[in-house]
Amino acid sequence: MSTVSEASKSEQAYAWIRSRIAAHAFGPGYRLVLGPIAEELGMSVVPVREAIRRLEAEGLVTFERNVGARVTLVDESEYAHTMQTLGLVEGSATALSAPLLDGDALAEAAEINDRMARLLDHFDAHTFTELNRQFHSVLFEPCPNPHLLDLVHRGWARLSGIRDTTFAYVPGRAQHSVEEHAQILELIREGAEPLEIELAARNHRWRTRDAFLDALHARSAHATGEAS
């Protein structure tokens, strides 16, 4: 019974810490101290420790000698390379999926994008990011090339480990993202050339990458200026 209880508490701690990281309440480099977190959640440090180990396995937390657990710093190079590659493979997968997307699938994608649009006034980066994943999943999952689809899945998994959400860093990107989603859907509905669909999906991914890196550089420059 206690094992089940501890597992449940570990899941609760995991979800809470992960949501704080996603919302950037716990930003890159933030030190995760077991005691205060356990106290905040009303539990012992044991399930919190298990939750942090799980987050470490996902790449969201890093252990440092004599320091403890910290929220993983964004690896700029890894992020840029992952987004560049994902843009290529996801763009191709979306183009190959396009002829296989029926009216129901397109309506589902449009409904998800509408939900994203409604979030813009009361922005929730974590929810927006999850809806963004669902939207793109509808468009690339029918891809008939299993090797290409596997590469897309790997790219999304790697991206999650680097940073759960770009939109917490660059909330202004969300509006443009919703607009670009609508444009991609329109191309698919019109039966546009595969290359046009591929480039639209690829450039959509790369614009998000560029916006994130620009924001990261701006924050670094601001932090450096304050330090000096």
Side-chain angles (χ1 to χ4, degrees), residues 20-75:
R20 302 286 284 178
I21 293 174
H24 285 263
F26 295 164
Y30 183 90
R31 189 179 174 204
L32 299 169
V33 184
L34 296 178
I37 294 175
E39 185 176 349
E40 174 76 20
L41 296 175
M43 61 180 66
S44 74
V45 298
V46 175
V48 175
R49 183 181 293 113
E50 290 302 316
I52 288 176
R53 285 175 179 164
R54 184 174 167 189
L55 291 163
E56 182 190 15
E58 294 179 3
L60 292 175
V61 170
T62 304
F63 274 94
E64 298 179 25
R65 186 187 297 273
N66 301 323
V67 174
R70 287 185 182 277
V71 176
T72 302
L73 296 171
V74 176
D75 185 326

Side-chain angles (χ1 to χ4, degrees), residues 109-126:
E111 193 275 332
I112 293 170
N113 201 42
D114 287 343
R115 288 167 64 192
M116 295 174 73
R118 290 195 294 272
L119 275 178
L120 293 174
D121 290 335
H122 305 283
F123 195 62
D124 178 338
H126 185 67

